[in-house]
Amino acid sequence: MKYLSEYRNLEETKKVLDEIHKITTREWNIMEICGGQTHSLVKNGILELLPEKVRMIHGPGCPVCVTPLNLIDKAIELLEQGVIVCSFGDMIRVPGSKKSLLETKALGGDLRILYSPIEAISIAKKNPDKEVVFFAVGFETTAPANALSVLHAEKEGITNYSILASHVLVPPAMEAILDDKFCTINAFLGAGHVCAIMGTKEYYPLVSKYKIPIVVTGFEPLDLVQGIYIAVKQLEEGKYELANQYSRIVKEEGNIAAIDVINKIFEIGNREWRGIGEIPNSGYVIKEAYRKYDAEEKFNISTIKVPENPNCIAGEILRGIKKPNQCDQFGKTCKPSNPLGAPMVSSEGACAAYYHFSTNLID
């Protein structure tokens, strides 16, 4: 099987689920890293079909969810200064400390919802008297396109364009989770789309250091149950290896051209994660040679700091310590129409998945 529809095959999915039931003899906690995987698990009812001893724990792989509160406030500050702020649609309703980007737009801010940062370059060219900022949020997956937008701006001599970057990296987050004293993770399902860009080599040290299986996995129902099966089989046999279930897309070396573009614009530095705090060397920062395209420096907004909402337990959910329906505010004061935190409004957020698809899930 090579493509997409085959991995939505109900009968094949049932067969693998049956095999998981057959081989499971002990309790195992498996974390799926990606929010897209979480949504697929919940939407397709896979969590209820797994053996009781196999517990899926939802990880921090939702880029919108881990974007820190202060960065959203920085984007809002830019809008209030009269800057044209461009963003992917999933960021606009995420609450800042006082309001969201969408609410700021309603108050007169010039917010543009785009599908690509390259579109923001066109907007900057058409509005030479205005500053244009692209809100560059994401994991390694979206970094190449954001880096490419900077290269396009440089090539075309566009000086009124910059990016507000919040790129975070998966392996350091996994390591931070494993080092947490509350961690109970036995295996990981790696994020397939991240590995499609970065490859798989950087996961070998984690497997070796923590003696834990990591299975790079796709997003369709059959992908996920195959990934879970591989992880459970390794655990039951006392093995810990890096496996690639998503081999139809992911190659060990990754996408060399995309990696080269990333490395030209970005370097690794510390990043703050919403609800988790700062993780050393866990994100991309703009290199000195391209710092003129860094909106934080260009507009002197790097000093904005705000506390997290004390009623939101996003940090515990993103670290896999609690499930969304273990939050006292879930479905009450916190709903997609009035979210306390990003996981309830993001298209990849665990809280949104539980709210929309399976609010009756019980631990």
Side-chain angles (χ1 to χ4, degrees), residues 188 204 207 211-215 230 234 239-243:
F188 283 101
Y204 286 107
V207 171
K211 296 178 170 52
I212 189 167
I214 298 176
V215 184
I230 294 168
Q234 284 195 38
K239 296 179 180 179
Y240 51 93
E241 298 171 352
L242 176 65

Side-chain angles (χ1 to χ4, degrees), residues 171-333:
M174 293 169 69
E175 188 156 18
I177 289 168
L178 290 167
D179 286 338
D180 192 300
K181 64 180 180 180
F182 296 110
C183 178
T184 60
I185 308 299
N186 302 118
F188 283 101
L189 299 188
H193 55 0
V194 170
C195 294
I197 299 294
M198 303 305 295
T200 60
K201 294 178 182 178
E202 56 192 350
Y203 295 92
Y204 286 107
L206 291 176
V207 171
S208 177
K209 179 179 178 179
Y210 295 98
K211 296 178 170 52
I212 189 167
I214 298 176
V215 184
V216 177
T217 306
F219 305 90
E220 300 303 325
L222 186 54
D223 284 318
L224 289 162
V225 297
Q226 285 180 346
I228 293 166
Y229 172 79
I230 294 168
V232 171
K233 190 171 188 294
Q234 284 195 38
L235 291 168
E236 290 283 345
E237 294 175 354
K239 296 179 180 179
Y240 51 93
E241 298 171 352
L242 176 65
N244 184 6
Q245 181 277 334
Y246 206 35
S247 59
R248 68 188 189 276
I249 300 295
V250 172
K251 308 305 175 188
E252 185 173 68
E253 69 277 10
N255 185 321
I256 302 299
I259 293 171
D260 287 345
V261 170
I262 292 172
N263 291 338
K264 185 163 187 177
I265 302 300
F266 296 112
E267 60 189 3
I268 292 175
N270 299 345
R271 272 291 175 195
E272 183 180 350
W273 294 58
R274 187 172 193 159
I276 297 175
E278 186 173 273
I279 301 177
N281 299 316
S282 66
Y284 289 133
V285 295
I286 299 173
K287 286 183 173 180
E288 183 66 36
Y290 294 92
R291 203 60 58 82
K292 64 183 177 182
Y293 298 102
D294 185 343
E296 289 197 64
E297 288 207 1
K298 190 173 188 178
F299 298 96
N300 194 28
I301 54 173
S302 61
T303 58
I304 295 177
K305 301 288 182 184
V306 291
E308 296 288 341
N309 187 328
N311 295 317
C312 179
I313 65 165
E316 293 174 274
I317 290 169
L318 293 169
R319 285 179 289 153
I321 295 170
K322 289 189 176 180
K323 295 286 184 71
N325 55 0
Q326 293 175 316
C327 174
D328 292 338
Q329 311 302 324
F330 178 79
K332 299 171 186 174
T333 58

Side-chain angles (χ1 to χ4, degrees), residues 9-224:
N9 186 298
L10 179 60
E11 292 305 316
E12 291 298 323
T13 302
K14 285 181 177 179
K15 287 178 183 178
V16 180
L17 281 166
D18 287 343
E19 290 301 313
I20 295 172
H21 279 266
K22 288 177 184 177
I23 66 172
T24 303
T25 65
R26 297 170 56 188
E27 293 187 353
W28 303 113
N29 293 330
I30 302 173
M31 175 176 278
E32 82 280 0
I33 286 293
C34 179
Q37 292 170 333
T38 301
H39 269 251
S40 187
L41 285 169
V42 178
K43 181 179 179 179
N44 292 292
I46 294 171
L47 298 182
E48 291 101 324
L49 299 174
L50 291 170
E52 288 185 7
K53 291 181 177 180
V54 176
R55 179 172 179 256
M56 299 305 298
I57 296 177
H58 315 313
C62 163
V64 174
C65 301
V66 301
T67 300
L69 200 63
N70 65 67
L71 205 77
I72 295 169
D73 277 15
K74 290 173 184 178
I76 290 170
E77 171 68 19
L78 292 174
L79 281 172
E80 292 177 340
Q81 287 184 20
V83 173
I84 299 174
V85 175
C86 304
S87 173
F88 294 131
D90 53 2
M91 285 300 304
I92 66 171
R93 292 182 57 244
V94 178
S97 62
K98 295 179 181 178
K99 53 183 174 286
S100 67
L101 289 170
L102 187 60
E103 289 169 321
T104 309
K105 176 180 173 66
L107 295 171
D110 194 347
L111 175 69
R112 312 284 181 95
I113 301 168
L114 308 181
Y115 288 102
S116 166
I118 304 302
E119 294 178 71
I121 297 295
S122 298
I123 292 172
K125 288 173 68 175
K126 293 175 183 177
N127 296 273
D129 58 333
K130 300 276 287 186
E131 288 290 336
V132 177
V133 173
F134 186 77
F135 198 2
V137 171
F139 282 90
E140 297 94 328
T141 321
T142 55
N146 292 327
L148 197 61
S149 75
V150 171
L151 291 176
H152 273 271
E154 180 188 47
K155 181 179 179 180
E156 298 187 35
I158 298 170
T159 59
N160 62 325
Y161 176 74
S162 55
I163 62 175
L164 181 59
S166 182
H167 278 295
V168 288
L169 310 178
V170 169
M174 293 169 69
E175 188 156 18
I177 289 168
L178 290 167
D179 286 338
D180 192 300
K181 64 180 180 180
F182 296 110
C183 178
T184 60
I185 308 299
N186 302 118
F188 283 101
L189 299 188
H193 55 0
V194 170
C195 294
I197 299 294
M198 303 305 295
T200 60
K201 294 178 182 178
E202 56 192 350
Y203 295 92
Y204 286 107
L206 291 176
V207 171
S208 177
K209 179 179 178 179
Y210 295 98
K211 296 178 170 52
I212 189 167
I214 298 176
V215 184
V216 177
T217 306
F219 305 90
E220 300 303 325
L222 186 54
D223 284 318
L224 289 162

